[in-house]
Amino acid sequence: MNMLNEDVTFYDLKEAVRNKEFIMYYQPQINIKTMKVCSVEALLRWKSKKFGAILPPYFISMLEETEKIKEVGKFVLEEACNELNMLENLKYNNLSMAVNISGKQLEDESFLNFVENVVKDKKVRTDYLSFELTERILISPTKPIVQSFNGIRNLGIKIYIDDYGIKNSSLDYLRQFAFDGIKIDKSFVSGITNSQKEFIIAKNIVDLANELDIDSIAEGVEKEEQVKYLKSIGCKKVQGFFFARPMDSKNLLKFLKNFEERG
Ligand code: C2E
Ligand code: CA
Ligand code: CA
């Protein structure tokens, strides 16, 4: 897992796509008030025959550069929709599914059409589906990006800003686009209990979300104390290793069952 980006070649990626070496993991998101699982985030995993298990930071950017993200992104959305339908059939019908979408996908003019076809084909309840976009994508949006964004929302799919506040300081896009929620990056969550500064930043992000009447999800929650702080500032949802690591579909079902029984 401690492999460097440079070790992976375009050829390796092409082979991985061809050999279907990608699988989806799912990480639960918990409603802080009810302490029940309300959604899961779909996270891509590469089980490489050559390198072993590889995490997204080592290959997502290369998938984007080679345009292979379109093919893999198709797999991601289809798998996430299958999982959402399976959860519904197993009576986990109040769970939503969050899917990460890369800028490359959003600016592709055929993306909207593709999403429309997938959700129609799979008969997915679109109000239980959300897309996570990093703010980088929206700072200087092109026309296709704006069209995809609006089209996605018209389909009833929710849109969240991922990694909020870490790279860009522009708030203009918040005014320009209608979001359903903000994800507070783990870098702000990690210091929330012992740094006044990080507490204030996290509180400001949550206040902003609450005043805009949109959802807030804190990611990278690893300690119980962080949950308490996040609850005290009015954050709506939490996600992180404290509750569960990302896991495959089989383990997700086990987790959901245990979590339910724990009450
Ligand atoms: P992200 O969307 O911000 O996803 C959250 C990352 O934080 C995940 O890393 C997750 O495993 C990790 N994480 C969750 N809880 C904790 C915690 O308590 N502590 C710590 N230290 N980390 C935690 P992962 O799976 O390696 O994904 C990294 C990034 O790769 C994602 O960041 C996302 O931007 C991208 N990515 C993952 N899957 C996809 C995908 O299907 N499509 C696209 N376009 N991007 C993806
Ligand atoms: Ca995400
Ligand atoms: Ca994030």
Side-chain angles (χ1 to χ4, degrees):
M1 206 68 88
N2 47 13
M3 199 194 56
L4 294 173
N5 227 344
E6 299 89 74
D7 297 336
V8 182
T9 64
F10 290 163
Y11 176 77
D12 292 326
L13 268 182
K14 232 167 92 184
E15 281 298 290
V17 173
R18 206 170 61 89
N19 296 334
K20 301 194 174 21
E21 291 180 352
F22 293 98
I23 69 158
M24 294 316 294
Y25 269 34
Y26 302 94
Q27 188 180 33
Q29 300 175 335
I30 283 97
N31 178 312
I32 218 166
K33 231 184 206 162
T34 62
M35 276 295 146
K36 289 204 158 44
V37 180
C38 52
S39 36
V40 297
E41 176 176 1
L43 293 160
L44 188 61
R45 293 292 179 266
W46 177 11
K47 298 266 165 96
S48 166
K49 287 193 183 78
K50 185 170 167 189
F51 303 107
I54 310 179
L55 287 171
Y58 295 107
F59 64 84
I60 290 281
S61 58
M62 203 185 274
L63 280 179
E64 289 176 339
E65 282 162 33
T66 54
E67 307 274 320
K68 283 274 168 216
I69 192 73
K70 288 180 194 165
E71 206 171 329
V72 178
K74 184 167 184 277
F75 163 81
V76 169
L77 185 61
E78 286 174 346
E79 281 292 293
C81 289
N82 289 341
E83 184 75 14
L84 185 59
N85 284 340
M86 190 200 65
L87 290 170
E88 189 193 2
N89 289 336
L90 292 174
K91 306 282 175 269
Y92 293 110
N93 47 5
N94 49 0
L95 293 190
S96 301
M97 175 68 63
V99 180
N100 292 287
I101 304 292
S102 122
K104 270 271 167 7
Q105 290 173 278
L106 208 67
E107 70 189 7
D108 173 6
E109 286 180 16
S110 63
F111 181 65
L112 185 58
N113 201 261
F114 152 70
V115 174
E116 215 171 341
N117 287 337
V118 173
V119 297
K120 234 186 246 160
D121 261 16
K122 308 262 173 203
K123 297 191 180 64
V124 160
R125 305 167 297 159
T126 51
D127 50 335
Y128 282 84
L129 194 59
S130 68
F131 286 175
E132 298 189 357
L133 311 177
T134 56
E135 53 187 349
R136 187 168 39 93
I137 302 169
L138 302 162
I139 294 294
S140 43
T142 57
K143 206 169 156 210
I145 287 184
V146 177
Q147 276 168 348
S148 299
F149 189 103
N150 294 332
I152 288 162
R153 286 199 97 245
N154 287 340
L155 286 173
I157 297 169
K158 298 191 169 61
I159 299 186
Y160 281 68
I161 315 177
D162 210 344
D163 303 341
Y164 181 78
I166 55 164
K167 288 251 162 66
N168 300 289
S169 50
S170 166
L171 293 173
D172 192 46
Y173 69 94
L174 274 180
R175 194 159 49 100
Q176 211 183 334
F177 291 102
F179 288 103
D180 296 281
I182 294 178
K183 292 196 78 176
I184 305 159
D185 191 67
K186 49 181 172 289
S187 59
F188 297 123
V189 174
S190 62
I192 195 176
T193 54
N194 46 31
S195 150
Q196 179 77 356
K197 230 186 200 171
E198 274 160 51
F199 178 79
I200 290 170
I201 294 172
K203 184 175 181 306
N204 265 276
I205 300 175
V206 172
D207 285 346
L208 177 70
N210 285 341
E211 276 163 39
L212 291 173
D213 202 18
I214 59 175
D215 204 9
S216 47
I217 306 179
E219 61 180 21
V221 176
E222 294 180 350
K223 297 178 192 147
E224 188 166 20
E225 220 189 339
Q226 292 166 341
V227 181
K228 281 192 197 130
Y229 271 66
L230 288 160
K231 195 173 181 181
S232 78
I233 59 175
C235 180
K236 299 280 190 290
K237 291 168 189 167
V238 276
Q239 171 182 3
F241 296 170
F242 175 67
F243 297 98
R245 286 180 177 259
M247 55 200 135
D248 64 16
S249 173
K250 208 168 118 208
N251 283 312
L252 175 69
L253 289 180
K254 273 192 213 157
F255 172 85
L256 290 173
K257 200 161 171 286
N258 286 338
F259 203 80
E260 220 173 43
E261 281 163 6
R262 201 190 68 171

